[in-house]
Every structure is written in C-alpha cells, then in structure tokens.
Amino acid sequence: HPERVPLTGPVILASNHLSFLDPPLVGSGVRRGINYMARKTLFRYPGIGALLRSWNAVPVDRDGGSAAGLKEILDRLKRGGAIIMFPEGTRSDGKLGEGRAGVGMIVAKARVPVVPMRIWGTNYALPRGTSLPRPAKVIIRYGEPFVYPLPENFDKLRGDELKAVYLDISREIMRRIAELTPEK
C-alpha cells in the first residue's frame, strides 16, 4: 500500500531493517522524493559515499557525537521532505528488534506523520557477510500514517522523563511495524 505515503508534506517512513538492500527497496514503491539516513562512517568510502549522496542520504553519527545529522534531518522535514528511518538502528536477524530513543527524539522534534513499514525477505536476498544479491521473494508493507500524541507538558520535560517519551514513541512505532503482516 505505497499509496498510504502522503505525496506531499513532511513524513517519516519507519521500517524494520534486515539487509543492506532495505534502504533502496523500501523507498522504491514510494511516489515522491525520499531522503535516507546512513551511518556517517559509510561516507568515507568513495564509491559508497557517492552512491549515498545520490540517494539524498544524511550522514548520521550513531554514537551521538554530532548534532549535524539531526539538524539536517529536521531541516529536510521542515522543507516538506520525506525521510526513511530504521528505528532498530541496525540490521536485525529477521526478528523485530527494539526501537532506539533517537528515532523517538526525531519524531517528537519534527511533529510530523509517521508511516510504519515492514519488509520481509531481504535478509535472504542479501544475507550478512555476502556481497552479491541472490533471488528471494521480498515483500514490503506500508502501514497507515499516524501522529504520535505528545504529552501536554512535553516542552517542559528534561532528562529521564524526556528519554522515556522518546522510548515510548519508538516502541509505538515498532508496535505498529509488528502489526503489519505479509498478507495485508
């Protein structure tokens, strides 16, 4: 159901993550320009860095050492862009992992709709440790967009209370991803 992705306006597409094939595939069904997030260290490799830039990828420091990636993501959303995120933060073993607080923080700061997405089969098409894709059935499901309802006192929260909200947002996104099935 790629038609569930709004054609205009800011939106976050949040998907599980199984393989290096996921970023281009989860964006392939969307009928609008997409921005991606990629680990900053990947941009060091000339071929990969050029490819990521051509895909409108934002370099992100997964260790939290720089706010530049976060600022760029929020700027692209403010300009009406769409961005794909992987709440688990890394590839999983085929089972859904825990969402990370960082995705919740971006959703809370951006205050834009989120479209949960789920992908199956890319872990067979390009398993860890391999460099060439192989034939495999891949299914991608797009869920209904939603806006996470922030608590009324959100702007006053700090420290552990704020992190708890970010984790709740991430858990809600992962819950909605888990609800998607290959059949619907």
Side-chain angles (χ1 to χ4, degrees):
H1 296 284
E3 72 277 0
R4 292 177 174 165
V5 177
L7 295 177
T8 60
V11 65
I12 293 171
L13 307 171
S15 178
N16 64 313
H17 196 10
L18 301 171
S19 164
F20 286 136
L21 291 175
D22 296 347
L25 289 179
V26 296
S28 67
V30 178
R31 295 177 184 97
R32 64 176 289 176
I34 297 293
N35 295 277
Y36 298 86
M37 294 171 54
R39 193 172 63 233
K40 186 177 181 178
T41 56
L42 293 174
F43 286 80
R44 289 190 286 213
Y45 305 102
I48 295 172
L51 179 64
L52 291 172
R53 283 191 260 312
S54 75
W55 286 348
N56 297 321
V58 176
V60 176
D61 183 355
R62 287 184 11 183
D63 298 326
S66 169
L70 172 63
K71 183 182 180 323
E72 181 61 27
I73 291 163
L74 293 173
D75 285 348
R76 290 183 189 197
L77 288 167
K78 283 181 188 170
R79 293 191 305 261
I83 192 151
I84 290 180
M85 295 184 188
F86 298 99
E88 297 161 294
T90 189
R91 292 169 292 151
S92 71
D93 61 0
K95 299 175 189 153
L96 292 178
E98 293 288 320
R100 300 178 109 178
V103 171
M105 178 181 64
I106 292 168
V107 170
K109 288 183 178 290
R111 300 180 187 201
V112 301
V114 177
V115 175
M117 302 169 58
R118 190 162 181 188
I119 190 164
W120 292 267
T122 55
N123 52 326
Y124 300 112
L126 187 65
R128 284 182 185 254
T130 63
S131 56
L132 293 174
R134 54 185 74 162
K137 181 178 180 178
V138 173
I139 300 171
I140 301 169
R141 294 285 181 243
Y142 299 82
E144 294 290 342
F146 75 98
V147 175
Y148 187 86
L150 294 173
E152 286 184 30
N153 66 338
F154 175 76
D155 292 324
K156 294 180 175 133
L157 296 177
R158 301 288 179 264
D160 288 343
E161 290 178 326
L162 187 58
K163 186 173 182 179
V165 171
Y166 296 158
L167 285 170
D168 285 345
I169 294 168
S170 185
R171 286 183 190 115
E172 178 62 17
I173 292 169
M174 292 308 298
R175 185 188 69 74
R176 289 176 185 245
I177 290 171
E179 286 180 348
L180 297 171
T181 63
E183 295 80 38
K184 61 175 189 164

